Amino acid sequence: MSDTLSRLADVIESRKGAAPDSSYVASLYARGRDTILKKVGEEAVETVLAAKDGVADKLIYETADLWFHTLVMLAEQGLRPEAVLAELERRIGVSGHDEKASRQKG
């Protein structure tokens, strides 16, 4: 799976600096961070609504949209999905309560 995310991140990264009319991602970059963040928020809401509906195919589709736009957000900020995967890996085997408490201390 991480290979898929890495490959997609490479494609998204390659769209930086491209003409806005050449791709959807290039058009998001051209419109700036606020547009990208708004799109992530919209996709998050759509994903929650799909989960509430309980239709698996719809939830998968909307989650893919959310992940995609999250990858665009990360790329816009100079980050890669591998950093998020490393953080998730770090959390494996750590109690969610303990992990949350450690963030509140720092």
Side-chain angles (χ1 to χ4, degrees):
M1 178 174 76
S2 63
D3 183 53
T4 300
L5 294 177
S6 293
R7 288 183 9 243
L8 184 54
D10 290 343
V11 171
I12 290 167
E13 185 68 29
S14 76
R15 301 300 198 261
K16 283 185 177 178
D21 61 352
S22 67
S23 79
Y24 173 69
V25 172
S27 73
L28 287 174
Y29 283 139
R31 290 184 296 200
R33 181 174 290 174
D34 286 346
T35 296
I36 293 168
L37 298 177
K38 180 180 174 187
K39 195 63 182 164
V40 171
E42 289 171 7
E43 296 301 341
V45 169
E46 290 174 8
T47 301
V48 168
L49 293 174
K52 187 173 172 80
D53 289 345
V55 178
D57 288 346
K58 186 175 180 182
L59 178 56
I60 291 166
Y61 181 88
E62 293 300 342
T63 300
D65 280 353
L66 176 59
W67 287 14
F68 175 82
H69 287 89
T70 300
L71 289 171
V72 173
M73 176 186 67
L74 289 170
E76 190 275 332
Q77 304 249 340
L79 299 169
R80 298 269 313 170
E82 293 84 0
V84 178
L85 293 171
E87 175 61 16
L88 289 172
E89 183 69 29
R90 183 192 69 78
R91 294 182 188 189
I92 292 174
V94 176
S95 160
H97 295 296
D98 291 344
E99 197 285 324
K100 185 175 181 180
S102 74
R103 285 186 281 143
Q104 293 171 345
K105 290 177 188 174

